[in-house]
Amino acid sequence: MKQRTTFLVANSDAEATHPDNFILSPSSFQIKNLPAAREDRLTLAFDELPVEIWDVLKQCKELHIRWASGKLYVSSDPYGSRVPAGLHVFVTPQSEVIPLLTNIDSPICTLLNAAFSISECSSFEKSFVGIPGTHQFYHPLSHISSFRSYLEKLLCSVNTEKCKTRLGRLETADYVDLKYDAVSQTFVASAFWSRPKEPWRGTLKSLENDPKIEVGVLGHEKPMAEESFTLSGFLHVVGTDDKLEPVVFTFPSRHHSYQSSYSLTTQKPTGLHPKLKLSMTQPLKAPNDDCTLNAYFTLPRALFIDKYQLASSNPQLLQSLNIKRLRDVSGETDLEAPAWASEKWGSSVLVEIDTASSNGEILLNVELPLHLRYLEPSHNTTSTEVRFASPSVFWACRSGDWSQMGNNPFDRARLGWEHLFPEQTMFYHLSPSDDAWNFINAPILNLQYTEIVKSGTVVVIIGGFLWIIWKLLAAIQGRNTAGEKKSQ
């Protein structure tokens, strides 16, 4: 087991990194007062994992589980990458175990449903959407209290209170990442907190009897290259080092934060054809001349886009929406199927935004027309709430130093859309200006009125039929009357 905690201190709080702000001991690292962003990372070998988790992981070449809270937070490089709020799962199975994963009670769905208290993952074959290189599942999960409880039962048999206290912090995280790689046979769990309202205080200790835990307190220096970050500060290994070790290092980064934000609204009334409006809160200027601005949506099965409506054969419509092109649609795209007939979790949509009209001087607004599927009827209500997340919005730019990106110790892969861009691409992420969760009130049938609807439908059909017969008879009678008058 390896434990690493990294604190990223803003330049304005550089005095907080002074050695007097920390108390060292052979078994702990005490913090007096530290305003900083924080990442906790835990790395486990396969033989250190609980059996029920290892039984699933050994069937995978790669597994990435990402959860984003959707809470408003300020990005801190090198933690600038973002995904839409909710639970994202990317699975690349071992080829020889694909038949096992496609069973009705597939292990991956059993694990996800138990760990996150969801029921939408029925089987690998039915619930996951195939995308190049992997398979994707998404659920609009706004909290992970169930996941915390699941981990407590699984892990907190020793040092119960300390274990529960540490796991309880997960619920306040901005995002949580879980990753397994069959090549290294290691499982990595990490959680990130942007700068909290109150500074970090307390003592860092290992979860187990081995007191070793790596601690880094770092801040930004002027980068040595345009596509890189330079961090300086100190590192300390609890249980090994007897003092703070100064450090400076530079690394290229695939993901950068971009100092601009956006908001998402829904035009009212929504009806069965809601329209999303993506608005930039300030004029945009591309990082480089060859950059494109993109928005990545994850839509639950109740919502979908008509990819034929947004095809390149409709240039006037795309121009009016400020969409340059529809780059990709994966998942449920059947235009007629009701929600209860759709097996997949929904669909992902990547659009390239037309920035020509803004010219870096005016605010840019983008519209995305959606459609609602017919939803399952319910008792005592005529509407239901459909929840969905704001998109990830980012610039995609050509990188001159892309071959070195793998050397980034903070890199995040499998965000859902990187495979749609060349490998030589660098991303600049915009931030939402508000909470990332959105809602639409969708109309549904109230079962209380089913009999009335049935009877009313029959009456309308019969009435319409009789009206047509009456009109036909009237026309025939009029024609006969006219013929008789003419013969006279």
Side-chain angles (χ1 to χ4, degrees):
M1 174 187 291
K2 294 181 180 179
Q3 299 179 68
R4 186 183 83 187
T5 297
T6 305
F7 295 96
L8 190 66
V9 182
N11 291 337
S12 58
D13 297 314
E15 69 279 0
T17 62
H18 193 278
D20 291 345
N21 196 29
F22 310 96
I23 299 176
L24 310 183
S25 78
S27 61
S28 67
F29 181 89
Q30 186 176 347
I31 300 169
K32 296 180 181 179
N33 194 71
L34 186 60
R38 172 175 177 167
E39 184 202 43
D40 284 357
R41 177 171 295 199
L42 182 67
T43 303
L44 300 169
F46 72 94
D47 54 357
E48 297 176 299
L49 294 166
V51 175
E52 63 185 87
I53 293 180
W54 173 238
D55 285 343
V56 176
L57 295 182
K58 66 184 179 182
Q59 301 182 34
C60 305
K61 286 183 181 178
E62 281 188 14
L63 172 64
H64 295 265
I65 300 177
R66 305 192 184 284
W67 173 79
S69 67
K71 296 180 297 185
L72 181 64
Y73 74 92
V74 178
S75 295
S76 301
D77 287 325
Y79 303 103
S81 61
R82 289 178 177 262
V83 296
L87 178 68
H88 304 255
V89 183
F90 301 93
V91 179
T92 306
Q94 302 278 9
S95 57
E96 63 270 17
V97 301
I98 288 181
L100 295 176
L101 287 173
T102 56
N103 291 337
I104 294 178
D105 296 323
S106 59
I108 183 64
C109 279
T110 301
L111 177 62
L112 291 175
N113 291 337
F116 296 97
S117 292
I118 60 177
S119 57
E120 284 72 13
C121 190
S122 58
S123 72
F124 179 80
E125 184 177 27
K126 292 182 177 181
S127 300
F128 280 75
V129 171
I131 61 176
T134 189
H135 298 77
Q136 179 184 16
F137 174 80
Y138 171 78
H139 181 70
L141 186 70
S142 59
H143 62 86
I144 53 171
S145 55
S146 297
F147 181 57
R148 175 191 55 76
S149 300
Y150 175 81
L151 291 180
E152 284 181 358
K153 295 177 183 177
L154 204 63
L155 304 176
C156 295
S157 57
V158 181
N159 295 327
T160 305
E161 289 306 315
K162 185 175 72 171
C163 177
K164 287 185 176 182
T165 299
R166 189 161 184 175
L167 290 175
R169 196 183 298 129
L170 285 177
E171 293 191 50
T172 63
D174 294 306
Y175 66 75
V176 174
D177 288 350
L178 308 174
K179 178 179 70 173
Y180 170 73
D181 174 26
V183 175
S184 62
Q185 289 196 326
T186 56
F187 179 80
V188 181
S190 60
F192 174 77
W193 296 262
S194 59
R195 181 171 171 169
K197 294 180 180 179
E198 295 294 328
W200 296 102
R201 300 182 182 92
T203 303
L204 299 180
K205 289 185 177 181
S206 173
L207 284 174
E208 292 190 343
N209 294 327
D210 182 2
K212 291 183 180 179
I213 176 172
E214 298 177 11
V215 182
V217 179
L218 305 170
H220 278 277
E221 299 287 345
K222 184 178 180 179
M224 298 181 180
E226 183 180 356
E227 300 177 1
S228 299
F229 296 123
T230 298
L231 300 180
S232 67
F234 64 80
L235 301 178
H236 180 76
V237 180
V238 178
T240 300
D241 298 339
D242 55 4
K243 62 179 182 177
L244 304 177
E245 299 292 339
V247 64
V248 178
F249 59 102
T250 296
F251 54 91
S253 181
R254 192 184 318 275
H255 299 283
H256 297 245
S257 59
Y258 182 81
Q259 299 306 311
S260 186
S261 59
Y262 59 92
S263 63
L264 188 74
T265 55
T266 307
Q267 293 187 3
K268 307 293 184 183
T270 55
L272 290 173
H273 304 281
K275 184 174 287 187
L276 303 184
K277 184 178 180 181
L278 184 65
S279 302
M280 306 302 154
T281 57
Q282 62 191 71
L284 297 179
K285 183 179 180 181
N288 298 307
D289 294 337
D290 60 351
C291 298
T292 62
L293 186 62
N294 305 269
Y296 175 74
F297 296 80
T298 48
L299 303 176
R301 65 166 62 97
L303 295 168
F304 68 99
I305 69 161
D306 183 349
K307 60 182 179 181
Y308 304 104
Q309 178 188 15
L310 299 179
S312 56
S313 56
N314 295 327
Q316 291 182 336
L317 174 62
L318 294 179
Q319 186 177 14
S320 68
L321 300 173
N322 272 337
I323 294 177
K324 190 170 185 178
R325 61 170 168 151
L326 181 64
R327 295 190 69 126
D328 184 74
V329 182
S330 300
E332 291 286 2
T333 56
D334 190 320
L335 304 182
E336 304 296 334
W340 60 85
S342 302
E343 294 183 333
K344 306 296 184 184
W345 59 264
S347 59
S348 60
V349 179
L350 180 66
V351 297
E352 182 178 330
I353 297 171
D354 188 356
T355 58
S357 61
S358 69
N359 199 27
E361 297 178 356
I362 62 174
L363 296 181
L364 181 64
N365 294 310
V366 183
E367 293 184 354
L368 183 68
L370 300 180
H371 306 273
L372 268 169
R373 298 190 186 278
Y374 292 111
L375 303 177
E376 290 191 50
S378 182
H379 289 280
N380 303 320
T381 184
T382 57
S383 66
T384 187
E385 206 170 56
V386 176
R387 180 172 54 185
F388 62 98
S390 294
S392 293
V393 180
F394 55 90
W395 292 100
C397 309
R398 183 175 179 82
S399 169
D401 201 18
W402 63 274
S403 61
Q404 302 297 320
M405 297 295 183
N407 298 329
N408 180 358
F410 306 97
D411 195 29
R412 297 175 81 197
R414 292 293 184 200
L415 302 182
W417 37 259
E418 310 102 307
H419 64 279
L420 300 171
F421 296 89
E423 189 177 5
Q424 307 91 336
T425 305
M426 187 167 57
F427 304 100
Y428 292 85
H429 299 259
L430 283 71
S431 302
S433 61
D434 204 348
D435 186 286
W437 290 109
N438 302 273
F439 304 90
I440 287 177
N441 282 321
I444 59 173
L445 173 64
N446 188 337
L447 292 173
Q448 201 172 15
Y449 304 116
T450 303
E451 294 303 321
I452 297 176
V453 172
K454 287 181 179 178
S455 302
T457 302
V458 171
V459 169
V460 170
I461 291 174
I462 293 176
F465 177 74
L466 293 177
W467 181 81
I468 292 172
I469 296 298
W470 175 64
K471 284 294 185 179
L472 288 174
L473 292 176
I476 294 172
Q477 184 177 4
R479 185 179 300 173
N480 293 337
T481 302
E484 289 176 2
K485 289 182 178 180
K486 188 174 181 181
S487 64
Q488 290 176 0

